[in-house]
Amino acid sequence: MIVDNLQRVRSRIVQACSACGRSEQEVVLLAVSKTFGAAAVREAYAAGQTAFGENYIQEAVEKIAALADLPLQWHCIGPIQSNKTRLVAQHFDWAHTVDRFKTAQRLNDQRPPERAALNVCIQVNIDGGPTKAGVAPTEVLALAQQIAGLPRLRLRGLMTIPEPAADFAAACAVHQRTRQLFDALQSSGLALDTLSMGMSADLEAAVQCGSSMVRIGSAIFGGRQYPA
Ligand SMILES: *Cc1c(COP(=O)(O)O)cnc(C)c1O
């Protein structure tokens, strides 16, 4: 049951926060509904969940339309090809996966004037996977400063998808590097408030390292039917 799963995930967040002296108010739960239909999202909404993450733009746009009667917040957490920026700018509240200025510029230019600024996170390739999306840590500051100048975007922070870690300590070691990068950006004068890191398997380690938004899919909706 989605309602029970949500309750369990919320308890994990509460416990993870109390284990490191943080307030649970500091951690937003993003329910990752990719591959699940509108009915599952309605069920989660009925259990109090309002923020949802989606990877596949076309799938998301259909779901967003089918759920337009609900006051939901939609986060794009999948790759954003140039030919998809318009859909993201039109339909989403957040984009977590910006890793090039060109993408940011297109989102900025295509954001409809009647909508609030699009919230944006820069995706960082924190563990150096050669084929992975995300900007290199050394290039984050320059990109952040460029994005901060775009009026229709609101730069909120950083997002990472590290490789699965062997254990808690290994997960923490990687998340800690993202945290340090985030702190460095803040010290440089950028007003950021979002560290989007932590999934079903590493929620606790991410919270301990300062995550402010965990993206949880399978622990809420169950196993996915096609690979993500
Ligand atoms: C699928 C996905 C998640 C959720 O993963 P789970 O392991 O199911 O919690 C989080 N973030 C991103 C970017 C994803 O693609």
Side-chain angles (χ1 to χ4, degrees):
M1 285 288 287
I2 289 172
V3 56
D4 302 313
N5 291 344
L6 265 172
Q7 196 48 55
R8 268 191 288 274
V9 169
R10 290 191 189 117
S11 309
R12 281 175 67 188
I13 294 172
V14 169
Q15 280 190 335
C17 284
S18 83
C20 61
R22 299 182 64 197
S23 159
E24 70 213 57
Q25 317 284 358
E26 296 172 29
V27 181
V28 172
L29 171 58
L30 190 59
V32 177
S33 43
K34 63 182 177 203
T35 81
F36 293 94
V41 174
R42 279 188 194 279
E43 208 176 320
Y45 172 74
Q49 182 65 30
T50 53
F52 293 88
E54 289 282 339
N55 286 58
Y56 312 105
I57 314 295
Q58 197 56 52
E59 175 196 339
V61 166
E62 288 162 25
K63 222 178 286 183
I64 292 168
L67 294 160
D69 56 310
L70 302 182
L72 306 179
Q73 191 184 72
W74 293 98
H75 296 241
C76 175
I77 61 171
I80 307 174
Q81 271 100 34
S82 288
N83 62 356
K84 292 284 165 41
T85 53
R86 185 174 298 279
L87 287 175
V88 174
Q90 285 175 336
H91 297 282
F92 283 85
D93 301 289
W94 285 67
H96 289 227
T97 44
V98 173
D99 62 0
R100 290 188 301 164
F101 186 59
K102 183 181 161 214
T103 305
Q105 254 177 329
R106 291 176 67 95
L107 291 170
N108 179 74
D109 297 347
Q110 294 166 344
R111 185 66 168 170
E114 70 276 12
R115 296 208 59 169
L118 179 68
N119 298 288
V120 162
C121 291
I122 295 175
Q123 183 175 353
V124 186
N125 183 356
I126 195 67
D127 51 4
T131 62
K132 250 201 330 211
V135 64
T138 49
E139 289 159 25
V140 170
L141 177 60
L143 180 58
Q145 286 169 334
Q146 281 185 302
I147 291 176
L150 295 172
R152 301 294 294 142
L153 302 187
R154 183 171 168 211
L155 182 63
R156 300 294 294 265
L158 301 180
M159 179 270 206
T160 54
I161 315 174
E163 290 304 306
D167 55 26
F168 184 86
C172 268
V174 174
H175 288 319
Q176 200 56 46
R177 295 212 302 274
T178 311
R179 170 60 187 274
Q180 282 162 1
L181 195 54
F182 180 78
D183 290 346
L185 291 182
Q186 282 193 313
S187 303
S188 80
L190 292 160
L192 307 178
D193 62 5
T194 302
L195 198 42
S196 166
M197 63 185 192
M199 318 206 318
S200 293
D202 62 347
L203 179 165
E204 285 79 7
V207 166
Q208 167 148 321
C209 297
S211 170
S212 69
M213 197 177 283
V214 290
R215 309 179 308 263
I216 308 297
S218 49
I220 296 173
F221 295 105
R224 285 180 287 272
Q225 290 304 311
Y226 56 93

